mmCIF file of all heavy atoms in Angstrom:
data_model
loop_
_atom_site.group_PDB
_atom_site.id
_atom_site.type_symbol
_atom_site.label_atom_id
_atom_site.label_comp_id
_atom_site.label_asym_id
_atom_site.label_seq_id
_atom_site.Cartn_x
_atom_site.Cartn_y
_atom_site.Cartn_z
ATOM 1 N N SER A 26 6.054 7.786 -2.440
ATOM 2 C CA SER A 26 6.363 7.254 -3.765
ATOM 3 C C SER A 26 5.148 7.366 -4.687
ATOM 4 O O SER A 26 5.259 7.126 -5.892
ATOM 5 C CB SER A 26 6.800 5.788 -3.665
ATOM 6 O OG SER A 26 5.786 5.013 -3.051
ATOM 7 N N SER A 27 4.004 7.714 -4.113
ATOM 8 C CA SER A 27 2.765 7.819 -4.882
ATOM 9 C C SER A 27 2.254 9.252 -4.867
ATOM 10 O O SER A 27 2.624 10.052 -4.011
ATOM 11 C CB SER A 27 1.689 6.913 -4.288
ATOM 12 O OG SER A 27 2.128 5.575 -4.207
ATOM 13 N N ILE A 28 1.403 9.549 -5.798
ATOM 14 C CA ILE A 28 0.793 10.875 -5.896
ATOM 15 C C ILE A 28 -0.416 10.968 -4.978
ATOM 16 O O ILE A 28 -1.208 10.024 -4.881
ATOM 17 C CB ILE A 28 0.377 11.151 -7.356
ATOM 18 C CG1 ILE A 28 1.613 11.390 -8.227
ATOM 19 C CG2 ILE A 28 -0.569 12.334 -7.447
ATOM 20 C CD1 ILE A 28 1.295 11.518 -9.697
ATOM 21 N N PHE A 29 -0.554 12.095 -4.313
ATOM 22 C CA PHE A 29 -1.748 12.371 -3.534
ATOM 23 C C PHE A 29 -2.456 13.600 -4.090
ATOM 24 O O PHE A 29 -1.820 14.505 -4.623
ATOM 25 C CB PHE A 29 -1.399 12.588 -2.060
ATOM 26 C CG PHE A 29 -1.053 11.315 -1.353
ATOM 27 C CD1 PHE A 29 0.256 10.950 -1.130
ATOM 28 C CD2 PHE A 29 -2.060 10.477 -0.905
ATOM 29 C CE1 PHE A 29 0.577 9.773 -0.480
ATOM 30 C CE2 PHE A 29 -1.755 9.292 -0.254
ATOM 31 C CZ PHE A 29 -0.428 8.938 -0.043
ATOM 32 N N ASN A 30 -3.766 13.642 -3.947
ATOM 33 C CA ASN A 30 -4.558 14.772 -4.406
ATOM 34 C C ASN A 30 -4.749 15.821 -3.322
ATOM 35 O O ASN A 30 -5.080 16.970 -3.611
ATOM 36 C CB ASN A 30 -5.936 14.296 -4.877
ATOM 37 C CG ASN A 30 -5.836 13.336 -6.040
ATOM 38 O OD1 ASN A 30 -4.984 13.498 -6.915
ATOM 39 N ND2 ASN A 30 -6.681 12.320 -6.045
ATOM 40 N N THR A 31 -4.600 15.404 -2.090
ATOM 41 C CA THR A 31 -4.757 16.290 -0.951
ATOM 42 C C THR A 31 -3.688 15.944 0.079
ATOM 43 O O THR A 31 -3.450 14.759 0.336
ATOM 44 C CB THR A 31 -6.158 16.125 -0.303
ATOM 45 O OG1 THR A 31 -7.170 16.371 -1.281
ATOM 46 C CG2 THR A 31 -6.330 17.079 0.865
ATOM 47 N N TRP A 32 -3.080 16.978 0.637
ATOM 48 C CA TRP A 32 -2.139 16.790 1.742
ATOM 49 C C TRP A 32 -2.693 17.530 2.949
ATOM 50 O O TRP A 32 -3.232 18.633 2.817
ATOM 51 C CB TRP A 32 -0.763 17.358 1.397
ATOM 52 C CG TRP A 32 0.063 16.509 0.499
ATOM 53 C CD1 TRP A 32 0.138 16.580 -0.862
ATOM 54 C CD2 TRP A 32 0.960 15.461 0.881
ATOM 55 N NE1 TRP A 32 1.012 15.640 -1.343
ATOM 56 C CE2 TRP A 32 1.535 14.942 -0.294
ATOM 57 C CE3 TRP A 32 1.337 14.907 2.115
ATOM 58 C CZ2 TRP A 32 2.460 13.905 -0.289
ATOM 59 C CZ3 TRP A 32 2.256 13.876 2.128
ATOM 60 C CH2 TRP A 32 2.814 13.380 0.939
ATOM 61 N N LEU A 33 -2.518 16.900 4.112
ATOM 62 C CA LEU A 33 -2.982 17.541 5.339
ATOM 63 C C LEU A 33 -1.926 17.406 6.420
ATOM 64 O O LEU A 33 -1.114 16.476 6.396
ATOM 65 C CB LEU A 33 -4.285 16.886 5.831
ATOM 66 C CG LEU A 33 -5.388 16.835 4.780
ATOM 67 C CD1 LEU A 33 -5.558 15.423 4.246
ATOM 68 C CD2 LEU A 33 -6.690 17.334 5.351
ATOM 69 N N TRP A 34 -1.963 18.344 7.348
ATOM 70 C CA TRP A 34 -1.100 18.275 8.515
ATOM 71 C C TRP A 34 -1.965 18.314 9.773
ATOM 72 O O TRP A 34 -2.851 19.162 9.904
ATOM 73 C CB TRP A 34 -0.096 19.426 8.510
ATOM 74 C CG TRP A 34 0.970 19.234 7.485
ATOM 75 C CD1 TRP A 34 0.956 19.653 6.181
ATOM 76 C CD2 TRP A 34 2.204 18.533 7.668
ATOM 77 N NE1 TRP A 34 2.107 19.260 5.549
ATOM 78 C CE2 TRP A 34 2.892 18.580 6.428
ATOM 79 C CE3 TRP A 34 2.807 17.885 8.756
ATOM 80 C CZ2 TRP A 34 4.151 17.991 6.250
ATOM 81 C CZ3 TRP A 34 4.045 17.303 8.579
ATOM 82 C CH2 TRP A 34 4.707 17.360 7.346
ATOM 83 N N TYR A 35 -1.687 17.363 10.667
ATOM 84 C CA TYR A 35 -2.405 17.247 11.929
ATOM 85 C C TYR A 35 -1.418 17.360 13.086
ATOM 86 O O TYR A 35 -0.242 17.016 12.956
ATOM 87 C CB TYR A 35 -3.105 15.887 12.038
ATOM 88 C CG TYR A 35 -4.365 15.730 11.221
ATOM 89 C CD1 TYR A 35 -4.304 15.379 9.874
ATOM 90 C CD2 TYR A 35 -5.619 15.913 11.795
ATOM 91 C CE1 TYR A 35 -5.479 15.214 9.132
ATOM 92 C CE2 TYR A 35 -6.783 15.746 11.063
ATOM 93 C CZ TYR A 35 -6.699 15.394 9.736
ATOM 94 O OH TYR A 35 -7.860 15.232 9.007
ATOM 95 N N LYS A 36 -1.939 17.796 14.234
ATOM 96 C CA LYS A 36 -1.161 17.797 15.474
ATOM 97 C C LYS A 36 -1.911 16.953 16.498
ATOM 98 O O LYS A 36 -3.138 17.078 16.634
ATOM 99 C CB LYS A 36 -0.995 19.217 16.009
ATOM 100 C CG LYS A 36 -0.231 19.286 17.327
ATOM 101 C CD LYS A 36 -0.244 20.690 17.890
ATOM 102 C CE LYS A 36 0.479 20.755 19.235
ATOM 103 N NZ LYS A 36 0.386 22.094 19.858
ATOM 104 N N GLN A 37 -1.158 16.127 17.207
ATOM 105 C CA GLN A 37 -1.771 15.293 18.230
ATOM 106 C C GLN A 37 -1.051 15.507 19.554
ATOM 107 O O GLN A 37 0.171 15.425 19.637
ATOM 108 C CB GLN A 37 -1.718 13.814 17.844
ATOM 109 C CG GLN A 37 -2.513 12.913 18.769
ATOM 110 C CD GLN A 37 -2.586 11.480 18.265
ATOM 111 O OE1 GLN A 37 -1.715 11.017 17.528
ATOM 112 N NE2 GLN A 37 -3.632 10.749 18.645
ATOM 113 N N GLU A 38 -1.832 15.799 20.579
ATOM 114 C CA GLU A 38 -1.297 15.944 21.928
ATOM 115 C C GLU A 38 -1.666 14.707 22.737
ATOM 116 O O GLU A 38 -2.592 13.970 22.391
ATOM 117 C CB GLU A 38 -1.833 17.224 22.559
ATOM 118 C CG GLU A 38 -1.404 18.474 21.790
ATOM 119 C CD GLU A 38 -1.827 19.757 22.461
ATOM 120 O OE1 GLU A 38 -2.036 19.767 23.686
ATOM 121 O OE2 GLU A 38 -1.957 20.761 21.746
ATOM 122 N N PRO A 39 -0.943 14.461 23.813
ATOM 123 C CA PRO A 39 -1.174 13.234 24.604
ATOM 124 C C PRO A 39 -2.624 13.083 25.029
ATOM 125 O O PRO A 39 -3.241 14.020 25.534
ATOM 126 C CB PRO A 39 -0.254 13.433 25.810
ATOM 127 C CG PRO A 39 0.836 14.314 25.308
ATOM 128 C CD PRO A 39 0.183 15.246 24.341
ATOM 129 N N GLY A 40 -3.165 11.906 24.782
ATOM 130 C CA GLY A 40 -4.518 11.615 25.222
ATOM 131 C C GLY A 40 -5.606 12.214 24.359
ATOM 132 O O GLY A 40 -6.789 12.134 24.713
ATOM 133 N N GLU A 41 -5.232 12.801 23.232
ATOM 134 C CA GLU A 41 -6.227 13.428 22.359
ATOM 135 C C GLU A 41 -6.117 12.878 20.951
ATOM 136 O O GLU A 41 -5.125 12.254 20.576
ATOM 137 C CB GLU A 41 -6.032 14.941 22.340
ATOM 138 C CG GLU A 41 -6.182 15.608 23.697
ATOM 139 C CD GLU A 41 -7.582 15.452 24.262
ATOM 140 O OE1 GLU A 41 -8.544 15.390 23.467
ATOM 141 O OE2 GLU A 41 -7.715 15.387 25.502
ATOM 142 N N GLY A 42 -7.156 13.117 20.167
ATOM 143 C CA GLY A 42 -7.094 12.743 18.769
ATOM 144 C C GLY A 42 -6.365 13.797 17.960
ATOM 145 O O GLY A 42 -6.142 14.907 18.427
ATOM 146 N N PRO A 43 -5.965 13.454 16.732
ATOM 147 C CA PRO A 43 -5.299 14.445 15.873
ATOM 148 C C PRO A 43 -6.219 15.625 15.571
ATOM 149 O O PRO A 43 -7.426 15.449 15.371
ATOM 150 C CB PRO A 43 -5.006 13.648 14.597
ATOM 151 C CG PRO A 43 -5.020 12.209 15.016
ATOM 152 C CD PRO A 43 -6.037 12.132 16.097
#
Side-chain angles (χ1 to χ4, degrees):
Chain A
S26 58
S27 304
I28 288 174
F29 286 100
N30 299 323
T31 303
W32 282 93
L33 306 106
W34 287 90
Y35 284 83
K36 178 187 178 185
Q37 188 173 26
E38 298 185 24
E41 299 297 329

